[in-house]
Amino acid sequence: MSLVNTKEMFKRAYEGHYSIGAFNVDTFDTFKVVCEAAKEENSPVIIQITENVIKYFGEEYLMAIAKTASETGIEMALHLDHGRSVEICKKCVDLGFTSVMIDASSMSFEDNIRLTKEVVEYAHKHNVTVESELGSITGIEDDSTVEDKYGHFTHPDQVVEFVTRTNIDSLAVAIGTAHGAFKYKPDEKPALRFDILEEIEQKLPLFPLVLHGSSSVPKERLALVNQYGGQLAEAKGIPEDMLTEASKRAVCKINVGTDLRVCFTGEVRKFFVEQPKEFEIRKYTTPARNAVKEMVKDKMRNVFLSSNHAKVD
């Protein structure tokens, strides 16, 4: 199976009441084990790459790895995450990405539409799907004053116009998720605005929605990092039962990155404390890779409910 775009993936996910994990990979190790997890769970998967990760891999190596992974029998889309310009989105289309995100959400509504539309017109000519974002998906540093119940969340009254005028394939909505490990203030209770999600669903029936910043930041994984010399502050992620609830609704794609990084780092720290004389790279990356793979498999099976839903050629 070759790389696919997200159109058919999302259609089946919406109808089947599950979501597809979109995993941000930073290295070959995490790229490989996410793909292995998808194969073992028979789950569709979206590999997410940022512009900095493209530079880290190198364009030719990245595309060679993606091509090889897609030919192992998994249903996989290669997605540009948070493309900050029309130029990087077009470049990724030309490289062979099958999905791109243009993130102009910090701009005015009209500028967001203008830039998104330009990416869509180019990408669709190459059978590449496009994601865009409405609302502000931030971290806990955002203390902006809001004037109504929607505040910096995605406003349901804007979604139909935005989708219609841009012709995007999926929409990232802001309903309470946040990027990074520190999503909430210490005294803040994690919550997703399902009331806003329901309003958006009603206005965009059968349209695939996306949640960014959806790592759950497992306490045991955070504790492992700190037990073996790390200094990560207490963090709160998105409760997994809330992600499962979103998966059963119109959310067809859920983004995860922080969880993989914290999991991998904890295992590496543990290895070096327990075996300080070792320096063989494979010895300390192997337990980290295995832990990440099991985490991804668990999310596919028990959180996103995407196991056993891959399309078979």
Side-chain angles (χ1 to χ4, degrees):
M1 180 179 289
S2 58
L3 289 168
V4 300
N5 66 31
T6 58
K7 200 169 191 67
E8 178 63 25
M9 272 188 179
F10 289 165
K11 182 177 185 296
R12 287 185 286 114
Y14 199 113
E15 294 172 349
H17 303 291
Y18 62 91
S19 62
I20 299 164
F23 298 95
N24 283 83
V25 301
D26 299 314
T27 67
F28 172 73
D29 288 294
T30 49
F31 196 135
K32 187 172 187 290
V33 296
V34 169
C35 293
E36 289 174 354
K39 186 170 182 61
E40 292 174 19
E41 288 296 315
N42 192 40
S43 170
V45 69
I46 298 169
I47 297 292
Q48 296 206 137
I49 305 290
T50 62
E51 187 172 358
N52 284 336
V53 173
I54 294 173
K55 295 175 182 176
Y56 179 80
F57 272 89
E59 295 172 6
E60 292 183 0
Y61 281 101
L62 173 63
M63 297 314 299
I65 292 167
K67 180 177 183 295
T68 299
S70 70
E71 292 173 349
T72 61
I74 61 174
E75 184 182 12
M76 176 182 123
L78 184 66
H79 177 76
L80 170 67
D81 189 31
H82 286 285
R84 299 295 181 181
S85 67
V86 171
E87 289 71 29
I88 185 61
C89 290
K90 289 182 177 180
K91 180 178 183 179
C92 286
V93 169
D94 293 341
L95 283 174
F97 279 61
T98 53
S99 176
V100 295
M101 178 200 179
I102 173 66
D103 184 4
S105 60
S106 63
M107 300 182 180
S108 69
F109 185 70
E110 287 299 324
D111 283 343
N112 194 350
I113 287 177
R114 177 177 57 82
L115 294 178
T116 299
K117 187 176 180 180
E118 184 176 350
V119 172
V120 168
E121 289 174 350
Y122 188 82
H124 283 185
K125 292 176 182 177
H126 297 82
N127 196 31
V128 173
T129 44
V130 179
E131 173 187 329
S132 192
E133 180 179 315
L134 265 182
S136 178
I137 302 167
T138 60
I140 64 170
E141 70 277 1
D142 179 50
D143 290 317
S144 57
T145 300
V146 298
E147 297 179 355
D148 60 23
K149 79 168 189 175
Y150 301 108
H152 54 257
F153 299 122
T154 301
H155 203 301
D157 287 345
Q158 292 183 323
V159 296
V160 174
E161 180 182 0
F162 189 82
V163 169
T164 302
R165 289 177 61 187
T166 61
N167 198 28
I168 54 171
D169 302 286
S170 61
L171 178 67
V173 294
I175 61 168
T177 58
H179 295 118
F182 308 102
K183 303 178 187 297
Y184 300 98
K185 297 176 182 178
D187 59 347
E188 192 175 6
K189 184 179 180 180
L192 295 184
R193 292 292 301 273
F194 285 107
D195 58 327
I196 295 177
L197 178 62
E198 184 174 355
E199 289 185 60
I200 295 171
E201 289 174 328
Q202 291 173 353
K203 292 180 179 292
L204 290 176
L206 304 179
F207 192 82
L209 304 179
V210 176
L211 288 186
H212 283 224
S214 296
S215 283
S216 57
V217 195
K219 289 185 179 298
E220 66 276 11
R221 285 294 164 189
L222 199 67
L224 189 69
V225 172
N226 291 336
Q227 180 182 348
Y228 290 97
Q231 296 181 6
L232 293 180
E234 181 179 353
K236 296 179 182 177
I238 310 300
E240 290 189 339
D241 61 335
M242 292 184 181
L243 297 177
T244 300
E245 174 63 23
S247 296
K248 294 177 180 178
R249 304 174 72 160
V251 173
C252 298
K253 173 176 176 275
I254 296 181
N255 292 13
V256 176
T258 296
D259 282 353
L260 276 64
R261 299 180 187 111
V262 172
C263 180
F264 197 99
T265 299
E267 293 294 334
V268 171
R269 283 189 172 276
K270 178 175 183 288
F271 180 91
F272 279 120
V273 169
E274 294 181 346
Q275 302 185 58
K277 294 182 180 180
E278 285 288 356
F279 58 88
E280 171 57 59
I281 295 174
R282 287 171 296 178
K283 287 188 177 180
Y284 63 81
T285 57
T286 295
R289 286 160 48 114
N290 290 342
V292 170
K293 181 164 76 169
E294 290 307 311
M295 170 184 281
V296 171
K297 289 174 65 176
D298 178 71
K299 288 181 182 295
M300 290 173 169
R301 187 186 314 121
N302 299 315
V303 183
F304 307 150
L305 312 178
S306 63
S307 292
N308 301 313
H309 284 291
K311 183 179 180 182
V312 178
D313 279 342

